[in-house]
Amino acid sequence: MVAGHAELALHNAERYHRAKERAFLDDVTEIYNARYLLAATDHEIRRAERYGSELSVLFLDLDRFKLVNDRHGHLVGSRTLRQLARILTACVRQVDTLARYGGDEFTILLPDTSLVPALQVAERIRRTVEETAFEGGRGGALRLTLSVGVASYPTHGRTREELLDQADKAMYRAKSLGRNRVCSASELGHS
């Protein structure tokens, strides 16, 4: 009888752990979601502060992704986001945090990474996406690009809100300059 209760308790604990894990995963891409990203960003900022290290944030947005959904349908759009998540996962280190921020926006935390190496990672990702033929269903292969904004702790912000805002603004600057490019928060004219 005790073994039965122990087995049930273990089973319930496992189910709880899996449910908790699922709460931090995006349903479409199966990578982390914005809720997890916010907690991870706070954690990494505290860690960078404690050890005097740097942290960089990449904010990525697919260029003209709405056209994919409009022309090919939302199933192809979801498949494209899943393929992009796999590409991004392959482009980052295991210690980095990749999350779907929302829609077609993704964020990557790069611990122990200053601005210049972060810009290099961002450019490598941008080029990889540009060179990838995404599965387009009946419409054939899709060619996509993305715009990336990069901000670094402590140069561009010391809080989660400041860092994400600066990376987001840098991404919008990349879009305003013609898309398919990487911009640093340093280009925004203030720190």
Side-chain angles (χ1 to χ4, degrees):
M1 188 167 103
V2 171
H5 285 295
E7 185 179 339
L8 180 61
L10 185 60
H11 177 71
N12 286 340
E14 255 179 59
R15 283 182 46 201
Y16 173 77
H17 179 72
R18 276 194 307 257
K20 190 174 174 190
E21 241 178 29
R22 294 293 306 166
F24 292 116
L25 293 179
D26 176 65
D27 290 336
V28 174
T29 60
E30 297 186 353
I31 61 173
Y32 290 120
N33 60 22
R35 181 184 302 130
Y36 183 87
L37 171 76
L38 297 177
T41 305
D42 286 338
H43 171 78
E44 290 299 342
I45 288 172
R46 283 192 306 273
R47 194 172 91 47
E49 189 175 58
R50 185 178 324 120
Y51 295 110
S53 61
E54 295 180 84
L55 164 69
S56 289
V57 177
L58 276 55
F59 209 98
L60 306 88
D61 186 72
L62 279 169
D63 297 324
R64 298 183 172 97
F65 183 69
K66 184 181 181 322
L67 295 176
V68 173
N69 285 329
D70 291 349
R71 291 180 184 161
H72 304 279
H74 287 87
L75 291 177
V76 170
S78 293
R79 189 167 56 229
T80 301
L81 293 174
R82 279 190 294 278
Q83 187 177 355
L84 177 61
R86 287 192 301 271
I87 290 166
L88 296 176
T89 299
C91 287
V92 296
R93 306 167 298 184
Q94 211 167 4
V95 298
D96 300 332
T97 300
L98 167 63
R100 182 176 178 202
Y101 196 77
D104 59 325
E105 296 177 329
F106 293 79
T107 306
I108 303 171
L109 299 178
L110 303 172
D112 301 314
T113 306
S114 61
L115 183 61
V116 172
L119 289 167
Q120 293 168 345
V121 170
E123 177 57 27
R124 186 177 70 241
I125 290 169
R126 187 208 60 75
R127 196 174 358 137
T128 301
V129 169
E130 181 182 42
E131 294 169 355
T132 298
F134 288 82
E135 304 162 23
R138 291 188 183 134
L142 300 173
R143 291 293 182 172
L144 300 171
T145 59
L146 49 78
S147 298
V148 186
V150 182
S152 295
Y153 169 91
T155 305
H156 302 117
R158 294 183 165 275
T159 67
R160 170 182 79 192
E161 293 78 13
E162 290 170 345
L163 269 181
L164 292 175
D165 181 60
Q166 290 296 295
D168 186 41
K169 285 178 177 168
M171 182 273 296
Y172 275 106
R173 184 172 198 283
K175 286 199 176 291
S176 73
L177 293 174
R179 296 179 175 85
N180 191 27
R181 64 183 62 222
V182 174
C183 283
S184 162
S186 296
E187 298 172 49
L188 298 175
H190 54 82
S191 295

